[in-house]
Amino acid sequence: LSVNQLILPKREESSEILAMIGMVMLSETTVMYAAKGDQIRVGEVVMNVLHPTSDYPAGNANDASLATEVYYREFSALLTGDLEAAGEQHLAKQEALSAYNVLKVAHHGSKNSTLEEFLEITEPQISIIMAGVANRYGHPHQELLERLEAAGSVIRGTYDGGGITIKYQKGRLLIA
């Protein structure tokens, strides 16, 4: 697997991110910086950057993660990066969110993210949680799983079997 482009939020970089950018620059991968209002189009796929805004304080790197919405025909997804509750609340206040077919659950399924109010706005049919098996943080937290179930969202997680593939074909959403 090769990465052609790395998209990062427009903000002051941590030493870890700078080291990663240095490694990326040695490959053929290009680095792009994005902020709210930016849009990327590839064929019929449209990705809108919703967060961070230019005035968002850069104190917490997780809450300054990129949050994007992706559209392809009738398919929609919200990718929340590593946002925690404060970042989600800031995103919700922007009034740019809507209902989505798929939600990439924020912060690996932490109990402090993807709160009820956020789920009421996004109404995800399917929620994807990216967390390692038996990770030291206990992600995903039971409280979060209960919130997703109460919202009527189907839950899939990398902790259950590794990578997850989403396909949208002939108007149907397929997850493997």
Side-chain angles (χ1 to χ4, degrees), residues 6-110:
L6 176 64
I7 305 172
L8 297 171
K10 292 178 185 171
R11 62 182 303 271
E12 188 175 316
E13 304 297 352
S14 67
S15 58
E16 293 87 7
I17 296 293
L18 289 172
M20 180 184 62
I21 292 171
M23 291 186 332
V24 165
M25 298 307 267
L26 296 174
S27 71
E28 294 184 20
T29 302
T30 58
V31 177
M32 175 183 161
Y33 291 91
K36 180 182 176 171
D38 291 340
Q39 185 178 80
I40 299 166
R41 288 181 174 268
V42 179
E44 292 183 70
V45 177
V46 177
M47 182 175 83
N48 298 312
V49 179
L50 303 176
H51 182 80
T53 57
S54 59
D55 63 342
Y56 192 77
N60 180 333
N62 287 344
D63 280 334
S65 292
L66 277 179
T68 61
E69 58 184 8
V70 178
Y71 291 96
Y72 173 73
R73 298 183 181 174
E74 292 82 37
F75 170 79
S76 62
L78 178 62
L79 311 177
T80 57
D82 216 11
L83 290 179
E84 294 179 31
E88 281 183 353
Q89 290 166 352
H90 184 78
L91 179 59
K93 287 179 188 172
Q94 304 306 308
E95 298 182 6
L97 299 175
S98 62
Y100 299 92
N101 300 113
V102 174
L103 169 66
K104 199 294 287 174
V105 173
H107 202 61
H108 313 285
S110 162

Side-chain angles (χ1 to χ4, degrees), residues 19 34 123 134-135 145 171:
E123 302 176 14
N135 61 80
L145 296 173

